[in-house]
Amino acid sequence: MKILYKEIKRYEINIQRSIFISFATYVDSQEKAIDFIKKNSDRNATHNCWAYKINGLENFSDDREPSGTAGKPILNSIKSLSLNYTVVLVIRHFGGKKLGIRGLINAYSSAAKKALEQLPKLSRYFDLTVEMFYDKLSIVDYYLLSKKAKIDKEKSEYTDRVKLYYTVPAEYRKEVVEKLNSLRIKYSIGDDYLK
């Protein structure tokens, strides 16, 4: 699944003199999640804890924090918001005071959740190209716009035939295909992506 969202959300919190800095974004592969973690980790930090969830693939690291006190709470924050294709890194600069097991779980969970809550909800789309004669243009265009499709006017071509490019919410894929087939419209569909 391709992801078109590229922003990184950041959140910082001070808990009993320890600084927790969290980073969250969307990724479309395990390789990109690992690359994100490597690029944003701080070698001078005491801990660089992380988690990601990409479809059925989940992974996390406590990075020398007591087992189950950092990576798992970060992953649980991702799950609690029903997110997918998501990676979170939480950096801790130790402030001299131990937080205890419950304190660490709460700190990592809270830092992760605050960054995740800044991410926009992504929707699934597919690209659709339709090619037809002018007599079908208004019917097809009206129908696709009623399905919340967005036309790319710059790419569209108007010659002896019309070639239009749309971005369509994936929830309408089946209906759109059935309608275009019933109208005998030539079309091609791209893969789904999130944006």
Side-chain angles (χ1 to χ4, degrees):
M1 173 84 48
K2 188 174 180 180
I3 308 262
L4 300 183
Y5 183 83
K6 301 294 181 205
E7 276 188 58
I8 298 170
K9 296 301 180 180
R10 183 182 187 278
Y11 180 79
E12 185 173 322
I13 187 170
N14 183 329
I15 300 174
Q16 296 187 28
R17 298 192 314 249
S18 282
I19 306 295
F20 292 84
I21 305 167
S22 55
F23 300 91
T25 195
Y26 293 110
V27 291
D28 52 19
S29 69
Q30 181 179 13
E31 294 76 25
K32 288 183 182 174
I34 292 166
D35 187 50
F36 172 86
I37 293 161
K38 286 178 181 175
K39 283 182 179 175
N40 292 286
S41 290
D42 181 350
R43 285 197 259 147
N44 297 319
T46 315
H47 304 281
N48 289 281
C49 304
W50 52 265
Y52 58 80
K53 182 174 184 278
I54 304 163
N55 250 353
L57 183 64
E58 298 174 354
N59 203 355
F60 61 87
S61 169
D62 293 317
D63 188 32
R64 301 177 325 275
E65 289 283 25
S67 181
T69 61
K72 188 70 170 175
I74 295 169
L75 180 60
N76 287 339
S77 293
I78 294 170
K79 290 178 175 182
S80 75
L81 295 171
S82 302
L83 295 172
N84 200 356
Y85 300 99
T86 307
V87 60
V88 179
L89 168 68
V90 181
I91 297 168
R92 180 184 182 195
H93 293 277
F94 183 63
K97 184 170 183 185
K98 293 190 177 199
L99 302 179
I101 299 296
R102 176 56 42 206
L104 288 170
I105 291 170
N106 290 342
Y108 279 101
S109 179
S110 176
K113 201 165 195 172
K114 293 293 187 184
L116 288 166
E117 287 171 344
Q118 296 177 53
L119 289 174
K121 295 289 184 201
L122 296 184
S123 296
R124 186 176 282 210
Y125 294 89
F126 67 92
D127 288 331
L128 171 70
T129 304
V130 294
E131 194 171 337
M132 69 202 115
F133 288 106
Y134 283 90
D135 62 331
K136 303 268 180 152
L137 174 61
S138 61
I139 296 167
V140 171
D141 193 48
Y142 179 79
Y143 175 76
L144 290 173
L145 294 176
S146 76
K147 298 300 177 198
K148 301 178 185 168
K150 303 279 189 244
I151 190 167
D152 184 340
K153 291 182 180 179
E154 290 182 21
K155 283 177 69 178
S156 296
E157 301 167 21
Y158 299 89
T159 58
D160 59 325
R161 293 172 59 91
V162 182
K163 191 172 188 178
L164 302 175
Y165 298 84
Y166 293 90
T167 299
V168 185
E171 65 198 76
Y172 297 113
R173 177 189 297 267
K174 185 179 177 188
E175 291 174 56
V176 166
V177 167
E178 288 173 359
K179 182 68 169 181
L180 294 175
N181 285 336
S182 75
L183 293 170
R184 299 180 192 254
I185 301 295
K186 182 179 173 184
Y187 65 90
S188 63
I189 293 180
D191 292 333
D192 284 9
Y193 56 90
L194 296 171
K195 73 172 192 171

